[in-house]
Amino acid sequence: MLLRHLSILAVSLPLAACVIDKGNDDSSTTAATDTATDTATSDEPTGTASNSSSADDTGATTGETGLPNNPCIDTPTVLAVDEPSPLGFSAAELLAGKLGQRSTTLTFAGEPTTLSDDLKNKQLPLTLDLRHEGGEVRFIDAEPNPDYDDSGNESGLGGECTDRLEVDVEIDFVTAAKEFDEHRQATLTATTVERADLRLELAPPGLMGSLDPTTVYSDPAWVLTALELDGIWQGSAAGGSVLNEVHVGGDNGTVGFGPLAAWGDPIGL
């Protein structure tokens, strides 16, 4: 699946465009405060636009997902939480040490200059709780799609087809004054037992907290159109970003996508 991602830069620079493929396995998020304004691109599973599934003799659901013009064909197999996956580890082993509540800080970026003065560099106490309460566990076998046509892909990037484990979880992302008061279902994705990645759309349809997206930027030409929560759990550390998409200048303007705020521990590749 291809998605247009454009980077929000300082106001003295134009918004630069690029097109990337959203694969899921090696997404990197740096949560340190001093990187909150860096360009961010994160990965999600490819080829999951359609789903046809059936139950096998063991009761596990299997099937193939993917449309003809997706670069990968994903075949999911439902596993028990303690059942080893073909990757060599189970969901229980992946989740060990990653679940539970932690207190940290959400720090807003200092740029661009159009960011509301009320939010620039603002630090909010944040409580994050990651839980697994019986959510489905899936092993995804990802294979190249022989019918994939990349003739309309201006970037020339097709993405890698990577086998992975997916675990449906619940997450609370709550600041002390409830600017964010998000209680959501999400999916952890992993290719190794050490690291799990999460990407969650917060808006649209809308935030549960009191933050008004229309007030995030002081310039009315900057319109925030989407918010996403990006996170990595690696060992005992967890960190990520709140990413935002911004339309500048109306229908004939430009689009930016990048970090609005950073949370938790700094985690690299």
Side-chain angles (χ1 to χ4, degrees):
M1 182 182 299
L2 297 179
L3 181 68
R4 181 172 298 276
H5 278 195
L6 305 169
S7 306
I8 296 180
L9 305 180
V11 72
S12 59
L13 298 177
L15 293 174
C18 64
V19 180
I20 66 168
D21 177 71
K22 300 180 73 178
N24 78 311
D25 40 285
D26 263 22
S27 77
S28 78
T29 305
T30 302
T33 300
D34 59 359
T35 62
T37 60
D38 289 347
T39 300
T41 54
S42 297
D43 299 333
E44 291 178 351
T46 59
T48 57
S50 67
N51 185 16
S52 174
S53 62
S54 60
D56 63 18
D57 292 340
T58 66
T61 299
T62 62
E64 291 187 355
T65 63
L67 291 174
N69 207 38
N70 285 332
C72 303
I73 296 176
D74 292 343
T75 303
T77 301
V78 175
L79 305 176
V81 68
D82 57 353
E83 182 178 356
S85 72
L87 296 173
F89 59 91
S90 66
E93 292 171 312
L94 173 69
L95 296 173
K98 297 180 178 69
L99 299 178
Q101 187 177 106
R102 62 183 71 213
S103 298
T104 183
T105 302
L106 178 69
T107 303
F108 282 84
E111 296 286 350
T113 57
T114 51
L115 187 65
S116 168
D117 289 337
D118 293 335
L119 292 180
K120 284 181 184 177
N121 299 309
K122 187 171 185 177
Q123 294 188 331
L124 302 176
L126 173 69
T127 299
L128 185 140
D129 189 12
L130 184 70
R131 304 180 304 280
H132 180 251
E133 299 176 345
E136 187 175 88
V137 175
R138 297 173 296 278
F139 169 70
I140 307 297
D141 176 70
E143 299 294 339
N145 184 353
D147 297 322
Y148 175 59
D149 179 7
D150 66 352
S151 59
N153 179 10
E154 297 174 1
S155 72
L157 299 177
E160 295 184 2
C161 300
T162 305
D163 296 346
R164 58 196 182 271
L165 191 66
E166 295 182 349
V167 184
D168 291 342
V169 294
E170 293 77 35
I171 186 168
D172 297 336
F173 187 85
V174 182
T175 54
K178 303 296 179 68
E179 296 91 347
F180 288 92
D181 189 18
E182 313 310 308
H183 307 270
R184 309 278 185 137
Q185 295 180 332
T187 298
L188 288 178
T189 302
T191 58
T192 69
V193 71
E194 293 83 10
R195 170 171 166 159
D197 294 71
L198 179 147
R199 186 74 170 268
L200 173 64
E201 188 174 82
L202 298 177
L207 294 175
M208 297 177 178
S210 63
L211 180 69
D212 182 355
T214 66
T215 65
V216 169
Y217 292 96
S218 57
D219 186 340
W222 287 56
V223 180
L224 193 155
T225 54
L227 284 171
E228 296 183 7
L229 177 63
D230 190 51
I232 296 172
W233 281 256
Q234 186 166 300
S236 61
S241 299
V242 175
L243 304 168
N244 70 157
E245 180 185 81
V246 181
H247 287 221
V248 182
D251 293 340
N252 297 321
T254 53
V255 180
F257 186 87
L260 174 66
W263 63 271
D265 304 307
I267 301 176
L269 290 173

